[in-house]
Amino acid sequence: MNQAAENIYFNPWDPAFRANPYPHYKPLLAGPPRILDLFGPTAMVTRFADVTTALRDHAHFSSVRPRDPNETNDEGPFAGARTMLFSDPPLHTRLRRLVSRDFTPRRIRDLEPRIREIAKNLIDAAEGKGELEVMHGIANALPVMVIAEMLGVPPDHYQQFKHWSDTVVSADNTLPGTPLPEEFHTAKNALRGDFADEIERRRKSPGTDLISALVAAHDDAEAMNADELLAFVLLLLLAGNETTTNLIGNGMLALGRNPAQMNLLRQTPELMPRAIEEILRFDGPVQSTIRFTREDINLGGMELPAHQGCFIILAAANRDPAQFEDPDRFDITRTPRDHVALGEGIHFCIGAPLARMEGAIAIGAMLERFPRLRLQDPAAPVTYKGSYFLRGLTSLTMATD
C-alpha cells in the first residue's frame, strides 16, 4: 500500500486517506498503471485515457471477478447472484434491458414533480432551526424516498432502508482477511428478507411499480431466476440512493468551501447543469470500480497479465491534467468535458439522468430557500462514511441565518 520509492501512498482503510485521497492520486497520474499490493497485486489505473480505454473495452476488461476455488460461499448482499454491476454480456445485456424501460427520459421527467415535492417537504421540516444538517435533513432522505416509491415500497420506511443500506455499504472498509461485522449480516439479512416479501406480494397482487414490472418479466420470458431478481432489486435500492446521496452532500461541501461559486450559482441558476457536472467531476460519489483482464494486454504502456485485478480510479481520471485544465479547481462555469464519474461504456450508470435531476432539485431548493446558506464552521474537519469506493459524508452542518 505504501511505495515510498515512488512517493506513492494508497490505503483505502486509512480514514485520513479517505478524507482526501486526491493528493495521493497525483503520483499515480504521472505514468502508466502501476502494480501495488492491496488485496494482492493490483493494477492502479488512473489516467483518463487509460480509464476510458478499460471501461469501454469489456471484451478485455471483465466486470466478473475470477472464481477462487477456495471460496465456498458469498457473504455479500447479493449472495453470489449476478447483477448488472458484476456481469458481462450477454448476461449484462439481458439484465440491463429489463430495467432500462423504467429509466427512460420520459419516465424520469414524469418523476420531477414528485421529487420537487419531496425536496420541498424536507426543507420545510428543516426551516426555522438556524442551521441545516444537509446529510440527515436532505441528502440521506430524498434519494431513498424516490427509489423506494419507484420500487413500490412505502416511503415512510425510508429511514430503515437507509440505515440498512449505509450498514451494508460501510462493510467495504473491512480489512482483507477480517470477518465482516455482525451488523453487516444483520442489515443484509433484513434487506433480503424484506424485499423477498415485497417480491412475493407483487406476484400475488401486482401494481405499476418497478418490482411488479420485474416480477412480470421474471414470470414471463426473460428468464431471470429468483436469486437474480432479489439481487436486482437490492442493487437498485443500494445504487439508487447511495450515489445520489453522496452527489448532494459532496456538492454542498464543495459549494460551501467555494462561497463565490455558491453565490454565482444562486444568482445564475441556469448554471445548475454545469454545476452538477463539475460536482461529479471534482468530488464524485464513486471513487473507483474494479475490472479483471481476460488475457495478457498492454494498457497505457504497462503489460498486464491475464486475470489481473485492476482498480479503475474514476476520481483520479477526473483530476487528470491531461484532460482537465487546472483540475483541482472547483469551477461551475467550466465548459463540460467528458468526465467518468458515472462510468463509461456498457456499464455507464443507468440512473444517471435521475441522479442528475435529484441533485439539481435538492441543491437548487436549498440555495433558493436559504439565501445566506454557508458552512457553519469552514475550518471544521468533515468525516466520511466507511466505504472508499462510495465517497460520502456522515454529516454536514450549514448555517441558514
Side-chain angles (χ1 to χ4, degrees):
M1 287 179 281
N2 191 350
Q3 304 241 334
E6 293 185 273
N7 197 31
I8 291 174
Y9 180 73
F10 190 96
N11 184 355
W13 299 281
D14 177 359
F17 176 90
R18 289 201 309 275
N20 187 15
Y22 297 103
H24 301 291
Y25 294 153
K26 290 184 179 182
L28 291 168
L29 284 164
R34 286 141 165 116
I35 305 294
L36 300 187
D37 185 12
L38 294 180
F39 318 96
T42 305
M44 312 303 289
V45 183
T46 58
R47 295 184 300 189
F48 187 89
D50 298 336
V51 165
T52 52
T53 294
L55 293 178
R56 291 169 182 167
D57 186 4
H58 61 271
H60 293 99
F61 292 88
S62 171
S63 297
V64 181
R65 179 185 174 190
R67 179 63 64 183
D68 184 343
N70 296 318
E71 287 185 352
T72 57
N73 66 329
D74 190 323
E75 293 186 301
F78 310 121
R82 292 295 182 204
T83 67
M84 283 191 301
L85 203 59
F86 304 113
S87 62
D88 297 324
L91 176 59
H92 173 270
T93 308
R94 176 171 63 84
L95 293 175
R96 190 173 177 107
R97 185 173 61 242
L98 278 169
V99 76
S100 62
R101 65 194 73 172
D102 287 282
F103 283 88
T104 62
R106 178 178 178 179
R107 171 66 172 141
I108 301 305
R109 285 195 302 270
D110 288 346
L111 291 170
E112 183 174 354
R114 177 57 179 147
I115 296 172
R116 291 192 180 279
E117 180 184 11
I118 293 172
K120 177 184 181 300
N121 292 341
L122 292 170
I123 291 174
D124 285 347
E127 197 167 23
K129 297 179 179 179
E131 65 179 31
L132 174 66
E133 214 311 306
V134 172
M135 300 310 297
H136 298 298
I138 311 295
N140 286 345
L142 175 68
V144 75
M145 290 175 75
V146 172
I147 196 65
E149 288 196 10
M150 290 182 71
L151 292 168
V153 176
D156 58 353
H157 292 181
Y158 84 87
Q159 288 180 316
Q160 183 63 74
F161 282 129
K162 187 63 179 174
H163 171 70
W164 288 335
S165 173
D166 285 347
T167 303
V168 168
V169 167
S170 292
D172 280 347
N173 196 39
T174 305
L175 287 165
T178 304
L180 289 165
E182 189 57 39
E183 54 265 30
F184 164 81
H185 295 289
T186 301
K188 174 196 72 172
N189 293 336
L191 267 177
R192 290 182 61 84
D194 202 271
F195 276 113
D197 292 342
E198 291 289 342
I199 289 168
E200 189 57 35
R201 276 195 284 274
R202 297 316 190 285
R203 282 208 174 90
K204 295 175 179 176
S205 181
T208 58
D209 55 85
L210 186 49
I211 291 180
S212 294
L214 293 171
V215 168
H218 162 65
D219 290 340
D220 215 14
E222 298 277 9
M224 184 188 290
N225 64 44
D227 289 337
E228 286 177 338
L229 178 56
L230 179 55
F232 204 93
V233 173
L234 286 170
L235 175 63
L236 289 175
L237 174 71
L238 295 171
N241 87 82
E242 194 66 34
T243 52
T244 311
T245 286
N246 296 344
L247 163 60
I248 296 168
N250 296 356
M252 291 307 296
L253 177 62
L255 289 166
R257 286 175 168 172
N258 295 272
Q261 295 287 296
M262 181 186 283
N263 289 334
L264 177 61
L265 183 57
R266 183 182 288 112
Q267 295 162 8
T268 319
E270 58 267 28
L271 283 174
M272 184 61 77
R274 284 193 181 192
I276 293 298
E277 298 312 309
E278 179 67 350
I279 289 165
L280 287 166
R281 182 202 70 81
F282 182 77
D283 194 17
V286 180
Q287 285 286 296
S288 180
T289 187
I290 297 177
R291 294 292 186 271
F292 302 92
T293 55
R294 293 180 184 270
E295 57 191 48
D296 295 356
I297 191 169
N298 184 291
L299 179 64
M302 178 70 174
E303 294 294 334
L304 301 177
H307 312 303
Q308 173 66 63
C310 304
F311 261 34
I312 312 296
I313 308 180
L314 310 174
N318 286 335
R319 298 284 190 104
D320 186 347
Q323 178 70 13
F324 303 100
E325 184 179 351
D326 196 4
D328 294 326
R329 176 169 55 90
F330 180 70
D331 180 7
I332 66 169
T333 69
R334 189 185 295 271
T335 301
R337 296 186 68 186
D338 290 340
H339 61 74
V340 289
L342 297 169
E344 184 73 20
I346 64 169
H347 285 276
F348 181 79
C349 176
I350 198 168
L354 179 59
R356 286 177 165 126
M357 177 186 286
E358 290 182 62
I361 288 173
I363 292 171
M366 284 185 273
L367 295 183
E368 181 179 0
R369 183 71 67 92
F370 305 114
R372 300 189 65 236
L373 190 66
R374 63 201 182 278
L375 290 178
Q376 190 172 65
D377 181 359
V382 293
T383 57
Y384 287 84
K385 289 179 272 192
S387 172
Y388 160 73
F389 292 96
L390 297 177
R391 177 173 174 79
L393 298 163
T394 58
S395 61
L396 179 65
T397 302
M398 304 189 79
T400 60
D401 57 13

